[in-house]
Amino acid sequence: MKKTLLTLSLLAAAVLRAEIPATTDDGFAVPQPGHTFSFPRDHGSHPEFKIEWWYLTGHLRAGDDWRFGYQATFFRFAGPKDDAAGESDPLFGTDQLFLAQFALADLETGTFYQQSRLDREGWNASAATERLNVRQGPWRLEWPEGAEAFELVASAPPDVQFSLQLEPVKPLIVFGQDGTSRKGADPAARSYYLTFTRLQTTGTVSVGGEELAVTGQSWMDHEIASKQLGNELEGWDWTAIQLDDGREVKAYILREEGGSKGPFSALMWIDPAGKVTYYGADDFQWEAVRWWESPETGNRYPIEVKITAPTPSGVEQVLHLRPALDGQEVVDIRGDNTYWEGACEVVDESDKVIGRAYLELVGYGTSTAERLQ
């Protein structure tokens, strides 16, 4: 009987795997279940995939007080494989485009700083394939060979300078129960989703000519894909939560047309040792508590949310995310990208602060290009 069940299980896995194409219609690799990763190489770039990004958020103290929230993302986009102009050029690049975004929320002054860069691969932008080393102009994200921590350097106008060292204190997680993260009904709409859920962070932040020593906690995602979302989806609400008791939560709703929660939405608990417990779309509730309308774009975002979810211990828990600053809308003209990405505090049902989070809200209102038409 056991042999029969094992055979049926292997056959079912083989059938599911056969439904996943090896490449997209335009020739880019599709993430495959059961892939074996090799580090430090897989912290680096994967040009055989169409889309890749390294995404960091964090909460920083200056002295005894929480002073800053930050977000930094480095994107790599591959151009069409049949683009004759994409031949290698040692000076002016190939067919790779790099987009970087940086935002800093100064919670003491209520000021939100942001900046973006868009560059072709070459002099101003590159991503190494053998280890983590991404750069755009003076911005960089690098894990030096043999070092215990990696480095993040960025800046924003008028005078923000930012330099951090980030050391993993929990093991790297490959999210997805089969080693891939589904993003829609299309079998190709999936990613490799590599995450450090807790990074001990030290460094300096300079604002207005004043340099401050900071400490705190960060989160890093590295996603590798060739199709970002299924065609049925219009956007997503996503959060990375770090609780004071050593646990983390990654949760997102993939919104279908009209705003309904799609079936590939998910919530994951990460315990203090790094063990992951998965819950599906029907297992948790995501409720908008308060909306905010941007005075710059007119877009409305549900910036305060309440998540009600089961826990591995069997007890339901409420996680109430409240923005540390309402005005954390990212308006990126270079990348034609407008969304809300903000530092939040997490409170329980008794209104006690139990952690901190970042909340990302994408697909609400008009894009930058639509507003400029």
Side-chain angles (χ1 to χ4, degrees):
M1 177 64 73
K2 290 182 179 179
K3 183 176 180 180
T4 301
L5 290 174
L6 177 60
T7 301
L8 290 173
S9 177
L10 292 173
L11 285 172
V15 170
L16 289 173
R17 187 181 180 92
E19 294 177 351
I20 303 170
T23 63
T24 59
D25 292 341
D26 49 357
F28 291 96
V30 173
Q32 299 295 313
H35 177 74
T36 300
F37 293 91
S38 177
F39 300 103
R41 183 268 170 271
D42 279 318
H43 291 312
S45 181
H46 299 76
E48 67 273 25
F49 293 86
K50 189 171 186 176
I51 311 164
E52 185 167 17
W53 61 93
W54 298 261
Y55 164 89
L56 299 103
T57 58
H59 308 266
L60 303 174
R61 290 183 182 272
D64 295 331
D65 300 321
W66 292 106
R67 171 70 187 268
F68 301 106
Y70 81 89
Q71 180 253 130
T73 309
F74 294 81
F75 296 90
R76 178 194 60 77
F77 301 96
K81 282 186 172 292
D82 59 355
D83 184 2
E87 298 178 0
S88 179
D89 183 325
L91 294 181
F92 297 103
T94 60
D95 58 353
Q96 303 288 316
L97 283 176
F98 289 83
L99 171 67
Q101 298 169 338
F102 171 67
L104 181 74
D106 186 336
L107 306 181
E108 183 172 283
T109 65
T111 307
F112 187 67
Y113 303 93
Q114 60 178 298
Q115 179 66 305
S116 64
R117 296 184 57 93
L118 180 64
D119 298 281
R120 290 185 65 190
E121 184 177 25
W123 281 343
N124 282 332
S126 67
T129 57
E130 70 278 4
R131 62 183 176 90
L132 178 58
N133 187 8
V134 186
R135 66 173 184 87
Q136 276 193 253
W139 298 7
R140 62 184 174 87
L141 175 64
E142 180 180 8
W143 200 335
E145 188 173 355
E148 294 184 354
F150 49 94
E151 302 168 357
L152 172 63
V153 176
S155 58
D159 54 8
V160 172
Q161 301 294 323
F162 186 87
S163 178
L164 297 180
Q165 294 74 50
L166 306 102
E167 182 176 355
V169 294
K170 295 182 72 168
L172 179 76
I173 295 171
V174 179
F175 280 103
Q177 291 171 289
D178 66 357
T180 67
S181 176
R182 294 292 302 274
K183 299 300 196 304
D186 186 335
R190 63 182 66 230
S191 67
Y192 293 134
Y193 203 157
L194 314 178
T195 300
F196 286 113
T197 63
R198 201 170 291 252
L199 298 155
Q200 185 64 37
T201 305
T202 59
T204 59
V205 175
S206 297
V207 180
E210 179 184 11
E211 183 175 277
L212 301 171
V214 294
T215 61
Q217 299 284 343
S218 297
W219 175 295
M220 177 175 149
D221 284 337
H222 178 194
E223 283 206 71
I224 307 157
S226 291
K227 185 176 178 63
Q228 186 175 4
L229 288 177
N231 295 330
E232 75 277 14
L233 300 174
E234 65 177 18
W236 64 86
D237 299 15
W238 172 98
T239 187
I241 299 171
Q242 295 169 319
L243 298 176
D244 294 339
D245 63 11
R247 296 178 299 163
E248 294 89 28
V249 177
K250 183 200 294 283
Y252 50 84
I253 57 172
L254 302 175
R255 301 193 316 278
E256 296 183 334
E257 187 174 351
S260 60
K261 181 169 63 173
F264 293 99
S265 305
L267 180 144
M268 293 136 277
W269 283 96
I270 303 95
D271 74 9
K275 179 183 176 182
V276 183
T277 304
Y278 293 87
Y279 295 94
D282 295 333
D283 297 324
F284 68 98
Q285 290 77 49
W286 182 298
E287 175 190 358
V289 175
R290 183 168 66 88
W291 292 71
W292 173 79
E293 182 172 322
S294 166
E296 180 176 356
T297 66
N299 293 347
R300 294 183 72 248
Y301 303 93
I303 63 170
E304 184 173 344
V305 301
K306 185 180 292 185
I307 300 170
T308 305
T311 67
S313 65
V315 178
E316 190 174 75
Q317 184 161 356
V318 174
L319 303 166
H320 185 169
L321 278 59
R322 295 193 303 217
L325 180 68
D326 283 5
Q328 298 182 80
E329 183 185 39
V330 176
V331 181
D332 175 17
I333 296 175
R334 292 176 178 86
D336 184 23
N337 206 1
T338 300
Y339 58 97
W340 195 93
E341 179 100 26
C344 300
E345 64 178 7
V346 183
V347 300
D348 63 13
E349 289 182 284
S350 65
D351 211 37
K352 176 185 175 183
V353 176
I354 58 173
R356 278 168 173 75
Y358 248 80
L359 177 65
E360 181 177 83
L361 307 168
V362 175
Y364 289 92
T366 58
S367 69
T368 303
E370 289 172 326
R371 290 194 312 276
L372 294 177
Q373 288 178 352

